[in-house]
Coordinates of all heavy atoms in Angstrom, one line a residue:
M1 N 0.8 -1.2 0.0 CA 0.0 0.0 0.0 C 0.9 1.2 0.0 O 1.9 1.3 0.7 CB -0.9 0.0 1.2 CG -1.8 1.2 1.3 SD -2.8 1.3 2.8 CE -4.1 0.1 2.3
V2 N 0.5 2.3 -0.7 CA 1.2 3.5 -0.8 C 0.5 4.5 0.0 O -0.6 4.9 -0.3 CB 1.3 4.0 -2.3 CG1 2.1 5.3 -2.4 CG2 2.0 2.9 -3.2
D3 N 1.2 5.0 1.1 CA 0.6 6.0 1.9 C 1.1 7.4 1.4 O 2.4 7.6 1.4 CB 1.0 5.8 3.4 CG 0.4 4.5 4.0 OD1 -0.7 4.2 3.5 OD2 1.1 3.9 4.8
L4 N 0.2 8.3 1.1 CA 0.6 9.6 0.6 C 0.5 10.6 1.7 O -0.4 10.6 2.5 CB -0.3 10.0 -0.6 CG -0.2 9.1 -1.8 CD1 -1.3 9.5 -2.8 CD2 1.1 9.0 -2.4
Q5 N 1.5 11.5 1.6 CA 1.5 12.6 2.6 C 1.3 13.9 1.8 O 2.2 14.3 1.0 CB 2.8 12.7 3.3 CG 3.1 11.4 4.1 CD 2.1 11.1 5.2 OE1 1.7 12.1 5.9 NE2 1.7 9.9 5.4
F6 N 0.2 14.5 1.8 CA -0.1 15.8 1.1 C 0.2 16.9 2.0 O -0.2 16.9 3.2 CB -1.6 15.8 0.6 CG -1.8 14.9 -0.5 CD1 -2.4 13.6 -0.3 CD2 -1.6 15.3 -1.8 CE1 -2.7 12.8 -1.3 CE2 -1.8 14.4 -2.8 CZ -2.4 13.2 -2.6
E7 N 0.7 18.0 1.4 CA 1.0 19.2 2.2 C 0.4 20.4 1.5 O 0.4 20.4 0.3 CB 2.5 19.4 2.4 CG 3.2 18.2 3.1 CD 4.7 18.4 3.2 OE1 5.2 19.4 2.8 OE2 5.3 17.5 3.7
G8 N 0.0 21.4 2.2 CA -0.4 22.7 1.8 C -1.1 22.7 0.4 O -2.2 22.3 0.3
D9 N -0.3 23.2 -0.6 CA -0.9 23.5 -1.9 C -1.3 22.2 -2.6 O -2.2 22.1 -3.4 CB 0.1 24.2 -2.8 CG 0.3 25.7 -2.3 OD1 -0.6 26.2 -1.6 OD2 1.3 26.3 -2.7
E10 N -0.5 21.1 -2.4 CA -0.9 19.8 -3.0 C -2.2 19.4 -2.5 O -3.1 19.0 -3.3 CB 0.1 18.7 -2.6 CG 1.5 18.8 -3.2 CD 2.5 17.8 -2.6 OE1 2.2 17.3 -1.5 OE2 3.5 17.5 -3.3
L11 N -2.5 19.4 -1.2 CA -3.7 19.0 -0.6 C -4.9 19.9 -1.2 O -5.9 19.4 -1.6 CB -3.7 19.1 0.9 CG -5.0 18.7 1.6 CD1 -5.4 17.3 1.3 CD2 -4.8 18.9 3.1
K12 N -4.7 21.2 -1.2 CA -5.7 22.1 -1.7 C -6.0 21.8 -3.1 O -7.2 21.8 -3.5 CB -5.2 23.6 -1.6 CG -5.3 24.2 -0.2 CD -4.8 25.6 -0.2 CE -4.8 26.2 1.1 NZ -4.4 27.6 1.1
S13 N -5.0 21.6 -3.9 CA -5.2 21.3 -5.3 C -6.1 20.1 -5.6 O -7.1 20.1 -6.3 CB -3.9 21.2 -6.1 OG -4.1 20.9 -7.4
V14 N -5.7 19.0 -4.9 CA -6.5 17.7 -5.1 C -7.9 17.9 -4.5 O -8.9 17.5 -5.2 CB -5.8 16.6 -4.3 CG1 -6.7 15.4 -4.3 CG2 -4.5 16.2 -5.1
L15 N -8.1 18.5 -3.4 CA -9.4 18.7 -2.8 C -10.3 19.6 -3.7 O -11.5 19.4 -3.9 CB -9.3 19.3 -1.4 CG -8.8 18.3 -0.4 CD1 -8.7 19.0 1.0 CD2 -9.7 17.1 -0.3
N16 N -9.7 20.7 -4.3 CA -10.4 21.5 -5.2 C -10.9 20.8 -6.4 O -12.0 21.0 -6.9 CB -9.6 22.8 -5.6 CG -9.4 23.8 -4.5 OD1 -10.2 23.8 -3.5 ND2 -8.4 24.6 -4.6
R17 N -10.0 20.0 -7.0 CA -10.4 19.2 -8.2 C -11.6 18.2 -7.8 O -12.5 18.1 -8.6 CB -9.2 18.4 -8.7 CG -8.2 19.3 -9.4 CD -7.0 18.4 -9.8 NE -5.9 19.3 -10.2 CZ -5.7 19.8 -11.3 NH1 -6.6 19.7 -12.3 NH2 -4.6 20.6 -11.6
L18 N -11.5 17.6 -6.7 CA -12.5 16.7 -6.3 C -13.8 17.4 -6.0 O -14.9 16.9 -6.3 CB -12.1 15.8 -5.1 CG -11.0 14.8 -5.3 CD1 -10.5 14.2 -4.0 CD2 -11.4 13.8 -6.3
R19 N -13.7 18.5 -5.3 CA -15.0 19.3 -5.1 C -15.6 19.8 -6.4 O -16.8 19.8 -6.5 CB -14.7 20.5 -4.2 CG -14.4 20.1 -2.7 CD -14.3 21.2 -1.8 NE -14.0 20.7 -0.5 CZ -12.8 20.8 0.2 NH1 -11.8 21.5 -0.4 NH2 -12.7 20.4 1.4
R20 N -14.7 20.2 -7.3 CA -15.2 20.6 -8.6 C -16.0 19.5 -9.3 O -17.1 19.6 -9.8 CB -14.1 21.1 -9.5 CG -14.5 21.7 -10.9 CD -13.4 22.2 -11.7 NE -12.5 23.1 -10.9 CZ -11.2 23.0 -10.8 NH1 -10.6 22.0 -11.3 NH2 -10.5 23.9 -10.1
A21 N -15.4 18.3 -9.3 CA -16.0 17.1 -9.9 C -17.3 16.8 -9.2 O -18.3 16.5 -9.8 CB -15.1 15.9 -9.8
Q22 N -17.3 16.9 -7.8 CA -18.6 16.7 -7.1 C -19.7 17.6 -7.5 O -20.8 17.2 -7.7 CB -18.3 16.8 -5.6 CG -19.4 16.5 -4.7 CD -19.0 16.7 -3.2 OE1 -18.2 17.6 -2.8 NE2 -19.6 15.9 -2.4
G23 N -19.3 18.9 -7.7 CA -20.3 19.9 -8.1 C -20.8 19.6 -9.5 O -22.0 19.7 -9.8
Q24 N -19.9 19.2 -10.4 CA -20.3 18.9 -11.8 C -21.2 17.6 -11.8 O -22.2 17.6 -12.6 CB -19.0 18.7 -12.6 CG -18.3 20.0 -12.9 CD -16.9 19.8 -13.4 OE1 -16.2 18.8 -13.1 NE2 -16.5 20.7 -14.3
I25 N -20.9 16.6 -11.0 CA -21.8 15.5 -10.9 C -23.1 15.8 -10.4 O -24.2 15.3 -10.9 CB -21.1 14.3 -10.1 CG1 -19.9 13.8 -10.9 CG2 -22.1 13.2 -9.8 CD1 -19.0 12.9 -10.1
S26 N -23.2 16.6 -9.4 CA -24.5 17.1 -8.9 C -25.3 17.8 -10.0 O -26.5 17.7 -10.1 CB -24.3 18.0 -7.7 OG -23.8 17.3 -6.6
G27 N -24.5 18.6 -10.8 CA -25.1 19.3 -11.9 C -25.7 18.4 -12.9 O -26.8 18.6 -13.5
V28 N -25.0 17.3 -13.2 CA -25.4 16.3 -14.2 C -26.7 15.7 -13.7 O -27.7 15.5 -14.4 CB -24.3 15.3 -14.4 CG1 -24.9 14.1 -15.2 CG2 -23.1 15.9 -15.2
I29 N -26.7 15.3 -12.4 CA -27.9 14.7 -11.8 C -29.1 15.6 -12.0 O -30.2 15.2 -12.4 CB -27.7 14.3 -10.4 CG1 -26.7 13.1 -10.3 CG2 -29.0 13.9 -9.7 CD1 -26.1 12.8 -8.9
K30 N -28.9 16.9 -11.6 CA -30.0 17.8 -11.7 C -30.5 18.0 -13.2 O -31.7 18.1 -13.4 CB -29.5 19.2 -11.1 CG -30.6 20.2 -11.1 CD -30.1 21.5 -10.4 CE -31.2 22.5 -10.4 NZ -30.8 23.8 -9.8
M31 N -29.5 18.1 -14.1 CA -29.8 18.2 -15.5 C -30.7 17.0 -16.0 O -31.7 17.2 -16.8 CB -28.6 18.3 -16.3 CG -27.8 19.6 -16.1 SD -26.2 19.6 -16.9 CE -26.6 19.9 -18.6
I32 N -30.3 15.8 -15.6 CA -31.1 14.6 -16.0 C -32.5 14.7 -15.4 O -33.5 14.4 -16.1 CB -30.3 13.3 -15.6 CG1 -29.1 13.2 -16.4 CG2 -31.2 12.1 -15.8 CD1 -28.1 12.1 -16.0
E33 N -32.6 15.1 -14.1 CA -33.9 15.2 -13.5 C -34.8 16.2 -14.1 O -36.0 16.0 -14.2 CB -33.7 15.5 -12.0 CG -33.1 14.4 -11.2 CD -32.8 14.8 -9.7 OE1 -32.7 16.0 -9.4 OE2 -32.6 13.9 -8.9
E34 N -34.2 17.2 -14.7 CA -34.9 18.3 -15.3 C -35.2 18.0 -16.8 O -35.9 18.8 -17.5 CB -34.2 19.6 -15.2 CG -34.0 20.2 -13.8 CD -33.1 21.4 -13.7 OE1 -32.4 21.7 -14.7 OE2 -33.1 22.0 -12.6
G35 N -34.7 16.9 -17.3 CA -34.9 16.5 -18.7 C -34.1 17.4 -19.7 O -34.6 17.6 -20.8
R36 N -33.0 17.9 -19.3 CA -32.2 18.8 -20.1 C -31.6 18.0 -21.4 O -31.6 16.8 -21.4 CB -31.0 19.3 -19.3 CG -31.4 20.2 -18.2 CD -31.6 21.6 -18.5 NE -30.4 22.3 -19.1 CZ -29.5 22.9 -18.4 NH1 -29.5 22.9 -17.1 NH2 -28.4 23.4 -19.0
D37 N -31.1 18.8 -22.3 CA -30.6 18.4 -23.6 C -29.5 17.4 -23.3 O -28.6 17.6 -22.5 CB -30.1 19.6 -24.4 CG -29.5 19.1 -25.7 OD1 -30.3 18.7 -26.6 OD2 -28.3 19.3 -25.9
C38 N -29.5 16.3 -24.1 CA -28.5 15.2 -24.0 C -27.1 15.7 -24.2 O -26.2 15.4 -23.5 CB -28.8 14.1 -25.0 SG -27.7 12.8 -25.1
E39 N -26.9 16.6 -25.2 CA -25.6 17.2 -25.4 C -25.0 17.9 -24.3 O -23.9 17.8 -23.9 CB -25.6 18.1 -26.7 CG -24.3 18.5 -27.1 CD -24.3 19.3 -28.4 OE1 -25.3 19.2 -29.2 OE2 -23.3 20.0 -28.7
D40 N -25.9 18.7 -23.6 CA -25.5 19.5 -22.4 C -25.1 18.5 -21.3 O -24.1 18.8 -20.6 CB -26.6 20.4 -22.0 CG -26.9 21.5 -23.0 OD1 -26.0 21.8 -23.8 OD2 -28.0 22.1 -22.9
V41 N -25.9 17.5 -21.1 CA -25.6 16.5 -20.0 C -24.3 15.8 -20.3 O -23.4 15.7 -19.4 CB -26.8 15.5 -19.9 CG1 -26.4 14.4 -19.0 CG2 -28.0 16.2 -19.5
V42 N -24.0 15.4 -21.5 CA -22.8 14.7 -21.8 C -21.6 15.6 -21.7 O -20.5 15.2 -21.2 CB -22.9 14.0 -23.2 CG1 -21.5 13.5 -23.6 CG2 -23.9 12.9 -23.2
T43 N -21.7 16.9 -22.1 CA -20.7 17.8 -22.0 C -20.3 18.0 -20.5 O -19.1 18.0 -20.1 CB -21.1 19.2 -22.6 OG1 -21.3 19.0 -24.0 CG2 -20.0 20.2 -22.4
Q44 N -21.3 18.2 -19.6 CA -21.0 18.3 -18.2 C -20.4 17.1 -17.6 O -19.6 17.1 -16.7 CB -22.3 18.7 -17.5 CG -22.2 19.1 -16.1 CD -21.5 20.4 -15.9 OE1 -21.3 21.2 -16.8 NE2 -21.0 20.7 -14.7
L45 N -20.9 15.9 -18.0 CA -20.4 14.7 -17.5 C -18.9 14.5 -17.9 O -18.1 14.0 -17.1 CB -21.2 13.5 -18.1 CG -20.9 12.1 -17.5 CD1 -21.1 12.1 -16.0 CD2 -21.9 11.1 -18.1
A46 N -18.6 14.9 -19.1 CA -17.2 14.8 -19.6 C -16.3 15.8 -18.7 O -15.2 15.4 -18.4 CB -17.1 15.2 -21.1
A47 N -16.8 16.9 -18.4 CA -16.0 17.8 -17.5 C -15.8 17.2 -16.2 O -14.7 17.3 -15.6 CB -16.8 19.2 -17.4
A48 N -16.8 16.6 -15.6 CA -16.6 15.9 -14.3 C -15.6 14.8 -14.4 O -14.8 14.6 -13.5 CB -18.0 15.3 -13.8
S49 N -15.6 14.0 -15.5 CA -14.7 13.0 -15.7 C -13.3 13.5 -15.8 O -12.3 12.9 -15.2 CB -15.0 12.2 -17.0 OG -14.1 11.2 -17.2
R50 N -13.1 14.6 -16.5 CA -11.7 15.2 -16.6 C -11.2 15.7 -15.2 O -10.1 15.5 -14.8 CB -11.7 16.4 -17.5 CG -11.7 15.9 -19.0 CD -11.4 17.1 -20.0 NE -12.4 18.2 -19.8 CZ -13.6 18.2 -20.4 NH1 -14.0 17.2 -21.2 NH2 -14.4 19.3 -20.3
A51 N -12.1 16.3 -14.4 CA -11.8 16.7 -13.1 C -11.3 15.6 -12.2 O -10.3 15.6 -11.4 CB -12.9 17.5 -12.4
L52 N -12.0 14.4 -12.3 CA -11.7 13.2 -11.5 C -10.3 12.7 -12.0 O -9.5 12.3 -11.1 CB -12.8 12.2 -11.6 CG -14.0 12.5 -10.8 CD1 -15.1 11.4 -11.2 CD2 -13.8 12.5 -9.3
D53 N -10.2 12.6 -13.3 CA -8.9 12.1 -13.8 C -7.7 13.0 -13.3 O -6.7 12.5 -12.9 CB -8.9 12.1 -15.3 CG -9.8 11.0 -15.9 OD1 -10.1 10.1 -15.2 OD2 -10.1 11.1 -17.1
R54 N -7.9 14.3 -13.4 CA -6.8 15.2 -13.0 C -6.5 15.0 -11.5 O -5.3 15.1 -11.1 CB -7.1 16.6 -13.3 CG -7.1 16.8 -14.8 CD -7.3 18.2 -15.2 NE -7.2 18.3 -16.7 CZ -7.6 19.4 -17.4 NH1 -8.0 20.5 -16.8 NH2 -7.5 19.4 -18.7
A55 N -7.5 14.8 -10.7 CA -7.3 14.6 -9.3 C -6.5 13.3 -9.1 O -5.6 13.2 -8.3 CB -8.6 14.6 -8.5
G56 N -6.9 12.3 -9.8 CA -6.2 11.0 -9.7 C -4.7 11.1 -10.1 O -3.8 10.6 -9.5
F57 N -4.5 11.8 -11.2 CA -3.1 12.0 -11.7 C -2.3 12.8 -10.7 O -1.1 12.5 -10.4 CB -3.1 12.7 -13.0 CG -3.6 11.9 -14.2 CD1 -4.4 12.4 -15.1 CD2 -3.2 10.6 -14.3 CE1 -4.9 11.7 -16.2 CE2 -3.7 9.8 -15.4 CZ -4.5 10.3 -16.3
A58 N -2.9 13.8 -10.0 CA -2.2 14.6 -9.0 C -1.8 13.7 -7.8 O -0.7 13.8 -7.3 CB -3.0 15.8 -8.6
I59 N -2.7 12.8 -7.4 CA -2.5 11.9 -6.3 C -1.3 11.0 -6.7 O -0.4 10.8 -5.9 CB -3.8 11.1 -6.0 CG1 -4.8 12.1 -5.3 CG2 -3.4 9.9 -5.0 CD1 -6.2 11.5 -5.2
I60 N -1.4 10.4 -7.9 CA -0.3 9.5 -8.3 C 1.0 10.2 -8.4 O 2.1 9.7 -8.0 CB -0.7 8.8 -9.6 CG1 -1.9 7.8 -9.3 CG2 0.5 8.0 -10.2 CD1 -2.6 7.3 -10.6
A61 N 1.0 11.4 -9.0 CA 2.2 12.2 -9.1 C 2.9 12.5 -7.8 O 4.1 12.4 -7.6 CB 2.0 13.5 -9.9
T62 N 2.1 12.7 -6.8 CA 2.6 12.9 -5.4 C 3.2 11.7 -4.9 O 4.3 11.7 -4.3 CB 1.5 13.4 -4.5 OG1 1.0 14.7 -5.0 CG2 2.0 13.6 -3.1
G63 N 2.6 10.5 -5.2 CA 3.1 9.3 -4.8 C 4.4 9.0 -5.4 O 5.4 8.5 -4.8
L64 N 4.5 9.2 -6.7 CA 5.8 9.0 -7.4 C 6.9 9.9 -6.9 O 8.0 9.5 -6.7 CB 5.6 9.3 -8.9 CG 4.8 8.2 -9.7 CD1 4.5 8.7 -11.1 CD2 5.7 6.9 -9.8
Q65 N 6.5 11.2 -6.6 CA 7.5 12.1 -6.1 C 8.1 11.6 -4.8 O 9.3 11.6 -4.5 CB 6.9 13.5 -6.0 CG 7.9 14.5 -5.5 CD 7.3 15.9 -5.3 OE1 6.0 16.0 -5.3 NE2 8.1 16.9 -5.2
Q66 N 7.2 11.2 -3.9 CA 7.6 10.7 -2.6 C 8.4 9.4 -2.7 O 9.3 9.2 -2.0 CB 6.3 10.5 -1.7 CG 5.7 11.8 -1.3 CD 4.4 11.6 -0.5 OE1 4.1 10.5 -0.1 NE2 3.7 12.7 -0.3
C67 N 8.0 8.6 -3.6 CA 8.7 7.3 -3.9 C 10.1 7.6 -4.3 O 11.1 7.0 -3.8 CB 8.0 6.5 -4.9 SG 8.9 5.1 -5.5
L68 N 10.3 8.5 -5.2 CA 11.6 8.8 -5.8 C 12.5 9.6 -4.9 O 13.7 9.6 -5.0 CB 11.4 9.6 -7.1 CG 10.7 8.8 -8.2 CD1 10.5 9.7 -9.4 CD2 11.6 7.6 -8.6
T69 N 11.9 10.2 -3.9 CA 12.8 10.9 -2.9 C 13.1 10.1 -1.6 O 13.7 10.6 -0.7 CB 12.1 12.3 -2.5 OG1 10.8 12.0 -2.0 CG2 12.0 13.2 -3.7
D70 N 12.7 8.9 -1.6 CA 13.0 8.0 -0.5 C 14.5 7.7 -0.4 O 14.9 6.9 -1.3 CB 12.1 6.7 -0.5 CG 12.4 5.8 0.6 OD1 13.1 6.2 1.6 OD2 12.0 4.6 0.5
P71 N 15.2 8.3 0.5 CA 16.7 8.1 0.4 C 17.1 6.6 0.7 O 18.2 6.2 0.3 CB 17.2 9.0 1.5 CG 16.0 9.2 2.5 CD 14.8 9.1 1.6
E72 N 16.4 5.9 1.4 CA 16.8 4.5 1.7 C 16.4 3.5 0.6 O 16.9 2.4 0.6 CB 16.1 4.1 3.0 CG 16.5 4.9 4.2 CD 17.9 4.8 4.6 OE1 18.5 3.8 4.5 OE2 18.5 5.9 4.9
G73 N 15.5 3.9 -0.2 CA 15.0 2.9 -1.3 C 14.1 1.9 -0.8 O 13.8 0.9 -1.5
N74 N 13.7 2.0 0.4 CA 12.8 1.0 1.0 C 11.6 1.6 1.8 O 11.8 2.7 2.3 CB 13.5 0.0 1.9 CG 14.5 -0.8 1.2 OD1 14.2 -1.6 0.3 ND2 15.8 -0.7 1.5
R75 N 10.5 1.0 1.8 CA 9.4 1.4 2.6 C 9.4 0.6 3.9 O 10.0 -0.4 4.0 CB 8.1 1.1 1.9 CG 8.0 1.8 0.5 CD 7.8 3.3 0.7 NE 6.5 3.5 1.3 CZ 6.1 4.7 1.7 NH1 6.8 5.7 1.5 NH2 4.9 4.8 2.3
V76 N 8.7 1.1 4.9 CA 8.6 0.5 6.2 C 8.0 -0.9 6.0 O 8.5 -1.9 6.7 CB 7.7 1.3 7.1 CG1 7.5 0.6 8.4 CG2 8.3 2.7 7.4
D77 N 7.1 -1.1 5.1 CA 6.5 -2.5 4.9 C 7.4 -3.4 4.1 O 7.0 -4.5 3.7 CB 5.1 -2.3 4.3 CG 5.2 -1.7 2.9 OD1 6.3 -1.4 2.4 OD2 4.1 -1.4 2.4
G78 N 8.6 -3.0 3.8 CA 9.5 -3.9 3.1 C 9.5 -3.7 1.5 O 10.3 -4.3 0.8
E79 N 8.6 -3.0 1.0 CA 8.4 -2.8 -0.4 C 9.6 -1.9 -0.9 O 9.8 -0.8 -0.3 CB 7.1 -2.2 -0.7 CG 6.8 -2.0 -2.2 CD 5.4 -1.5 -2.5 OE1 5.1 -0.5 -1.9 OE2 4.7 -2.2 -3.3
T80 N 10.3 -2.3 -1.9 CA 11.4 -1.5 -2.4 C 10.8 -0.3 -3.3 O 9.6 -0.3 -3.7 CB 12.3 -2.3 -3.3 OG1 11.6 -2.7 -4.5 CG2 12.9 -3.5 -2.6
T81 N 11.6 0.7 -3.5 CA 11.2 1.8 -4.4 C 10.8 1.3 -5.7 O 9.8 1.8 -6.3 CB 12.4 2.8 -4.5 OG1 12.7 3.3 -3.2 CG2 12.0 4.0 -5.4
E82 N 11.5 0.3 -6.3 CA 11.2 -0.2 -7.6 C 9.8 -0.9 -7.6 O 9.0 -0.7 -8.5 CB 12.2 -1.2 -8.1 CG 13.5 -0.5 -8.5 CD 13.4 0.6 -9.5 OE1 12.7 0.3 -10.5 OE2 13.9 1.7 -9.4
Q83 N 9.5 -1.6 -6.6 CA 8.2 -2.2 -6.5 C 7.1 -1.2 -6.3 O 6.0 -1.3 -7.0 CB 8.1 -3.2 -5.3 CG 9.0 -4.4 -5.4 CD 9.1 -5.2 -4.1 OE1 9.2 -4.6 -3.0 NE2 9.1 -6.5 -4.2
M84 N 7.4 -0.2 -5.6 CA 6.4 0.9 -5.4 C 6.2 1.7 -6.7 O 5.0 2.0 -7.0 CB 6.9 1.9 -4.3 CG 5.9 2.9 -3.8 SD 6.6 3.5 -2.3 CE 5.8 5.1 -2.3
K85 N 7.2 2.0 -7.4 CA 7.1 2.6 -8.7 C 6.3 1.8 -9.7 O 5.4 2.4 -10.4 CB 8.5 2.9 -9.3 CG 9.2 4.1 -8.6 CD 10.5 4.6 -9.3 CE 11.3 3.6 -10.1 NZ 12.6 4.1 -10.5
A86 N 6.5 0.5 -9.7 CA 5.7 -0.4 -10.5 C 4.2 -0.3 -10.2 O 3.3 -0.3 -11.0 CB 6.2 -1.8 -10.5
R87 N 3.9 -0.3 -8.9 CA 2.5 -0.2 -8.4 C 1.9 1.1 -8.8 O 0.7 1.2 -9.2 CB 2.4 -0.5 -6.9 CG 2.7 -1.9 -6.6 CD 2.6 -2.2 -5.1 NE 1.2 -2.0 -4.7 CZ 0.9 -1.6 -3.5 NH1 1.8 -1.3 -2.6 NH2 -0.4 -1.4 -3.2
L88 N 2.7 2.2 -8.6 CA 2.1 3.5 -9.0 C 1.9 3.7 -10.5 O 1.0 4.3 -10.9 CB 3.1 4.6 -8.5 CG 3.0 4.8 -6.9 CD1 4.2 5.6 -6.5 CD2 1.7 5.5 -6.5
E89 N 2.8 3.1 -11.3 CA 2.7 3.1 -12.7 C 1.4 2.4 -13.1 O 0.6 2.8 -14.0 CB 3.9 2.4 -13.4 CG 3.7 2.4 -14.9 CD 4.9 1.8 -15.6 OE1 5.9 1.3 -14.9 OE2 4.9 1.7 -16.8
K90 N 1.1 1.2 -12.5 CA -0.1 0.5 -12.7 C -1.3 1.4 -12.4 O -2.3 1.4 -13.2 CB -0.1 -0.8 -11.9 CG -1.3 -1.7 -12.2 CD -1.3 -3.0 -11.4 CE -2.5 -3.8 -11.6 NZ -2.5 -5.0 -10.9
L91 N -1.3 2.1 -11.3 CA -2.4 3.0 -10.9 C -2.5 4.1 -12.0 O -3.6 4.4 -12.4 CB -2.1 3.6 -9.5 CG -2.3 2.7 -8.3 CD1 -1.8 3.5 -7.1 CD2 -3.7 2.3 -8.2
F92 N -1.4 4.7 -12.4 CA -1.4 5.7 -13.4 C -2.1 5.2 -14.7 O -3.0 5.9 -15.2 CB 0.0 6.2 -13.7 CG 0.0 7.3 -14.7 CD1 -0.2 8.6 -14.4 CD2 0.4 6.9 -16.0 CE1 -0.1 9.6 -15.4 CE2 0.4 7.9 -17.0 CZ 0.2 9.2 -16.7
L93 N -1.7 4.0 -15.1 CA -2.3 3.5 -16.3 C -3.8 3.1 -16.2 O -4.5 3.2 -17.2 CB -1.5 2.3 -16.8 CG -0.1 2.6 -17.3 CD1 0.7 1.3 -17.5 CD2 -0.1 3.5 -18.5
S94 N -4.2 2.9 -15.0 CA -5.6 2.6 -14.8 C -6.5 3.8 -15.0 O -7.7 3.7 -15.3 CB -5.9 2.0 -13.3 OG -5.8 3.1 -12.4
L95 N -5.9 5.0 -14.9 CA -6.6 6.3 -15.2 C -6.5 6.7 -16.7 O -7.3 7.5 -17.1 CB -6.1 7.4 -14.3 CG -6.4 7.3 -12.8 CD1 -5.6 8.4 -12.1 CD2 -7.8 7.4 -12.6
A96 N -5.6 6.1 -17.4 CA -5.4 6.5 -18.8 C -6.4 5.9 -19.7 O -7.1 5.0 -19.4 CB -4.0 6.1 -19.2

């Protein structure tokens, strides 16, 4: 498992992206309930998807940065930096 430590601006950025996506998803639900135009709904849904993807990429980028700056090359749980990088790459590709 990769434990991430977010600080200041990193945390704000990820939370802002997630809140933006949350608002967009709420907007999509409301649009569907109101019977809005399909194109408008899909456009809003695509925006929410991009916001979620960007939040995911930011989380993974933070994990990679922390992994690469580990001076010992090992995690407390015994996972090496290389194993951790492979897991983070897999996570990154799951968003692609």
Side-chain angles (χ1 to χ4, degrees):
M1 177 181 284
V2 179
D3 294 329
L4 299 176
Q5 302 297 318
F6 288 97
E7 298 177 6
D9 291 340
E10 290 173 337
L11 179 61
K12 281 183 184 178
S13 176
V14 169
L15 290 176
N16 285 340
R17 290 178 193 276
L18 290 172
R19 286 186 182 109
R20 185 177 310 126
Q22 182 180 33
Q24 289 167 326
I25 291 169
S26 293
V28 169
I29 292 168
K30 185 176 179 181
M31 291 170 78
I32 291 171
E33 290 172 344
E34 294 172 352
R36 296 274 299 272
D37 179 67
C38 177
E39 187 174 340
D40 292 342
V41 172
V42 171
T43 299
Q44 188 69 15
L45 190 57
S49 179
R50 284 190 303 274
L52 287 171
D53 286 346
R54 289 182 180 172
F57 290 136
I59 290 168
I60 293 169
T62 299
L64 284 171
Q65 181 182 18
Q66 290 174 10
C67 169
L68 294 174
T69 58
D70 178 11
E72 299 297 319
N74 293 300
R75 301 287 295 173
V76 175
D77 60 6
E79 185 176 53
T80 67
T81 298
E82 289 303 313
Q83 290 169 323
M84 190 166 155
K85 285 189 329 190
R87 291 181 63 210
L88 287 166
E89 180 180 356
K90 183 177 178 182
L91 286 173
F92 179 82
L93 292 173
S94 73
L95 292 173

